Amino acid sequence: MVMTNQPGRPLKHPSECESEEELAELTATAMDRAACGYAHHLYWRKDFQRLARLKKLEQVEQDRIFNELVVSCVVLLMLVHEAPDLRVDEDMKPHMQRIKEALPGAHLNELREMGVKEQHLRDWGELIRLRHEEYAKDRHEVRAAGMELASGDGALDPEDLREIQLMLPLHTVAIGCHDHVVRGESKGRDELFKLILNALGKFYVEFRVRLEGGKITPLDRARVGTRRFFRSLGKK
């Protein structure tokens, strides 16, 4: 684990990039730094430290939890870039795909520059791959659960379906991240889940709004879906 929030090497200006691939790698590096910085901030929050019971854990377990927060933020960015409802122009979608594909490598390059050994870099690459595959697969179950919660006794309208789809990357990653942090022992850990969901939600909304050019209205409406998600915890 690299317990630092210090910036890496200065990044070149986008105008200096000579190819679309180089621009995607530059953008992915900037996004990775933002993701790592946010995970670092979340890890050191006093309420997270308390609810995750970090003081009772060995250092290796604390490191594992930190790594889960980092990989969750990175994979969340990957899922946003491949979201079918991402509101960007059609001619920008290939660029979104290139950024998504560049994110794992950008993270490994940042770690490499920090002096992380190749063996650990391979472990990191494998962790990102596994979590991306896991959360991409889990989206189907999370969508189904969201539709069930939102429908109640009535039929879903198109707006309900849009809200569920919009927040799907966030809900999927938050559920998975919490499960890995507590090693599947989730009984009595609802407050930790709410904190993770709320914290990742702020990161997700801010990032997606910027990616979509400041179109925030649907995300504002989708917050209603997240509040509904919170309320559902009390019914289980």
Side-chain angles (χ1 to χ4, degrees):
M1 177 181 66
V2 181
M3 297 295 292
T4 179
N5 194 29
Q6 296 301 314
R9 71 188 188 286
L11 298 179
K12 65 172 65 177
H13 192 274
S15 63
E16 300 179 79
C17 294
E18 299 180 356
S19 68
E20 293 178 343
E21 290 72 20
E22 186 179 2
L23 179 59
E25 291 172 2
L26 175 68
T27 306
T29 299
M31 290 180 177
D32 177 71
R33 290 184 181 182
C36 293
Y38 196 85
H40 184 275
H41 172 74
L42 173 56
Y43 180 85
W44 286 109
R45 280 178 51 169
K46 291 182 179 180
D47 50 356
F48 179 84
Q49 297 257 325
R50 174 176 55 81
L51 292 172
R53 305 168 185 171
L54 292 182
K55 290 184 178 181
K56 299 180 180 179
L57 302 176
E58 299 291 336
Q59 186 62 50
V60 66
E61 185 67 3
Q62 294 182 23
D63 291 352
R64 185 192 65 81
I65 290 173
F66 178 82
N67 292 343
E68 287 293 347
L69 296 181
V70 170
V71 77
S72 292
C73 288
V74 173
V75 171
L76 181 56
L77 295 184
M78 296 173 68
L79 293 180
V80 173
H81 279 86
E82 64 188 30
D85 63 326
L86 188 64
R87 298 189 305 158
V88 296
D89 295 337
E90 283 296 320
D91 60 355
M92 282 295 293
K93 289 186 178 180
H95 183 59
M96 298 294 104
Q97 180 66 20
R98 284 191 290 270
I99 293 173
K100 188 211 82 170
E101 293 174 353
L103 273 163
H107 185 71
L108 298 185
N109 287 336
E110 289 290 289
L111 294 178
R112 185 177 288 110
E113 291 189 4
M114 294 177 187
V116 176
K117 296 180 179 180
E118 287 299 321
Q119 175 185 349
H120 299 306
L121 291 177
R122 288 193 295 271
D123 292 341
W124 260 106
E126 181 67 4
L127 179 61
I128 294 173
R129 184 188 68 81
L130 288 173
R131 290 294 179 265
H132 178 256
E133 289 182 356
E134 175 186 345
Y135 297 157
K137 181 180 178 181
D138 287 349
R139 283 179 300 193
H140 304 293
E141 294 182 8
V142 174
R143 182 190 290 112
M147 292 174 65
E148 182 179 353
L149 288 171
S151 62
D153 297 326
L156 293 172
D157 60 32
E159 189 61 32
D160 290 325
L161 295 175
R162 280 194 293 270
E163 289 180 0
I164 292 169
Q165 184 65 38
L166 185 63
M167 303 306 282
L168 189 58
L170 166 62
H171 291 165
T172 302
V173 173
I175 291 170
C177 177
H178 175 257
D179 188 61
H180 287 295
V181 166
V182 301
R183 289 189 176 274
E185 300 293 333
S186 59
K187 184 177 181 180
R189 309 298 293 274
D190 287 354
E191 290 305 312
L192 177 61
F193 172 70
K194 291 178 182 179
L195 186 153
I196 290 173
L197 178 61
N198 184 60
L200 291 181
K202 292 179 180 178
F203 174 67
Y204 174 74
V205 168
E206 180 179 355
F207 173 76
R208 184 153 181 167
V209 165
R210 292 183 180 183
L211 196 63
E212 295 185 338
K215 303 170 185 177
I216 194 170
T217 303
L219 283 167
D220 279 336
R221 292 198 301 270
R223 289 194 181 101
V224 175
T226 296
R227 289 196 293 270
R228 185 187 298 126
F229 198 86
F230 281 148
R231 290 197 299 271
S232 71
L233 292 175
K235 300 176 182 179
K236 295 181 180 180

